[in-house]
């Protein structure tokens, strides 16, 4: 079984390695046993990063932390891919101005939502051999929505269609950042309200406790004053 994982620590069986320090500094070619001792002294791992080099290149890193960071990056990449969809708009080569404006409105809406848009002009009959104006029509559409997106794949004829792909200008990323900022602000405000509520409760308990701790002399003097008042 071939593993994609790099060899680390005692799994590195070569006699020498070209060692890279934890901050990227070049240590040089040293015995693998010496590199392993350096890794143990620094509480790090010796990781083979270029096994096909002669001698192999190894680096001192915290491999557990490295794997964790790689997992987080992969998760974020998958999340960004799943949130970005590809919408498709189709129309004929001979489209009137009103219909073109309607299609453009759809494209603007998709780009505003952070989605890519695949625009397809469907050719029929003789248009396939002479698609006059098709590429220009798609470029006009791209120019009209340039404030929201840019051309990812330039207009190109593929069989009976002319295809172009537009990508958004980071709208969804900005929206997510704003949502995270608002969420953090809301959490901070909620914690502040909870802290104020707990402080108010503590003050109430302290006030109640001071009222209950009245001394016998104070009680007697109060009773005496009440008796005098009754006379």
């Amino acid at each position: 079984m071939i593993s994609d994982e790099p060899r680390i620590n005692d799994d590195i069986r070569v006699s020498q390695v070209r060692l890279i320090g934890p901050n990227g500094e070049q240590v040089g070619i040293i015995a693998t046993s010496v590199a392993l001792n350096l890794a143990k002294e620094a509480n790090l791992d010796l990781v083979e990063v270029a096994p096909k080099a002669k001698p192999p290149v190894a680096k001192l890193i915290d491999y557990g932390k490295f794997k964790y960071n790689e997992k987080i990056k992969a998760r974020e990449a998958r999340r960004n891919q799943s949130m970005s969809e590809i919408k498709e708009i189709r129309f004929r080569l001979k489209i009137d101005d009103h219909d073109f404006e309607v299609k453009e409105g759809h494209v603007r809406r998709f780009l505003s939502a952070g989605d890519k848009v695949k625009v397809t002009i469907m050719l029929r009959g003789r248009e396939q051999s002479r698609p006059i104006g098709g590429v220009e029509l798609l470029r006009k559409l791209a120019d009209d929505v340039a404030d929201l997106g840019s051309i990812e794949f330039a207009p190109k004829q593929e069989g009976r269609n002319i295809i172009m792909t537009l990508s958004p200008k980071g709208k969804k990323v900005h929206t997510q950042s704003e949502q995270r900022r608002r969420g953090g602000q809301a959490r901070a405000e909620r914690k502040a309200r909870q802290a104020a509520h707990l402080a108010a409760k503590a003050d109430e308990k302290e006030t109640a406790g001071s009222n209950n701790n009245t001394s016998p002399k104070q009680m007697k003097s109060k009773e005496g004053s009440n008796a005098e008042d009754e006379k």
Side-chain angles (χ1 to χ4, degrees):
M1 183 180 293
I2 300 176
S3 174
D4 293 332
E5 297 291 328
R7 293 189 296 183
I8 65 172
N9 299 328
D10 293 331
D11 290 335
I12 302 175
R13 302 298 175 83
V14 295
S15 59
Q16 289 183 324
V17 294
R18 185 181 296 276
L19 184 64
I20 300 175
N23 297 318
E25 66 274 19
Q26 297 285 339
V27 178
I29 298 174
I30 62 175
T32 303
S33 57
V34 175
L36 286 169
N37 289 332
L38 291 175
K40 289 178 182 178
E41 291 174 1
N43 198 24
L44 295 172
D45 299 297
L46 182 66
V47 181
E48 193 178 52
V49 294
K52 294 184 179 181
K54 293 185 178 181
V57 180
K59 188 174 182 180
L60 296 176
I61 61 174
D62 184 337
Y63 190 63
K65 185 177 180 181
F66 169 77
K67 289 293 292 181
Y68 175 78
N69 290 335
E70 289 296 307
K71 187 183 294 183
I72 295 297
K73 290 179 183 178
R75 186 184 304 166
E76 288 294 326
R78 288 195 300 270
R79 184 180 301 169
N80 292 335
Q81 288 176 356
S82 62
M83 286 188 295
S84 180
E85 298 182 12
I86 297 181
K87 304 293 186 178
E88 186 169 7
I89 295 292
R90 296 186 176 191
F91 54 87
R92 297 290 183 183
L93 181 59
K94 295 179 181 179
I95 184 173
D96 59 42
D97 293 340
H98 174 71
D99 288 341
F100 184 82
E101 291 173 0
V102 172
K103 298 293 184 181
E104 180 182 322
H106 294 326
V107 172
R108 297 186 68 87
R109 178 162 53 86
F110 293 146
L111 291 174
S112 298
D115 297 316
K116 294 182 180 182
V117 184
K118 179 181 178 182
V119 187
T120 302
I121 294 180
M122 299 177 292
L123 306 174
R124 53 185 177 182
R126 297 179 180 178
E127 293 174 351
Q128 297 178 40
S129 58
R130 299 183 62 189
I132 300 174
V135 173
E136 289 76 7
L137 190 61
L138 290 179
R139 290 195 178 277
K140 177 183 183 304
L141 177 62
D143 291 340
D144 291 346
V145 299
D147 56 320
L148 297 174
S150 58
I151 296 177
E152 185 175 86
F153 294 106
K156 180 182 179 182
Q157 183 174 353
E158 295 183 0
R160 293 185 292 180
N161 300 321
I162 303 177
I163 298 173
M164 174 184 70
T165 304
L166 300 171
S167 60
K169 289 187 174 180
K171 178 71 174 179
K172 182 166 287 189
V173 174
H174 298 323
T175 302
Q176 290 170 349
S177 299
E178 180 64 17
Q179 289 174 346
R180 285 195 295 268
R181 186 188 67 79
R182 290 179 181 177
Q185 184 177 355
R187 286 192 295 272
E189 291 175 355
R190 186 164 58 251
K191 287 182 179 179
R193 288 195 298 269
Q194 291 174 349
H197 182 65
L198 292 174
K201 277 192 172 182
D203 290 340
E204 289 177 3
K205 288 183 179 179
E206 186 176 351
T207 303
S210 62
N211 291 336
N212 293 332
N213 292 332
T214 306
S215 65
K217 287 185 177 181
Q218 290 174 329
M219 293 291 293
K220 190 173 182 180
S221 63
K222 285 183 180 180
E223 291 174 356
S225 62
N226 291 337
E228 291 176 1
D229 291 341
E230 288 177 359
K231 290 178 180 181

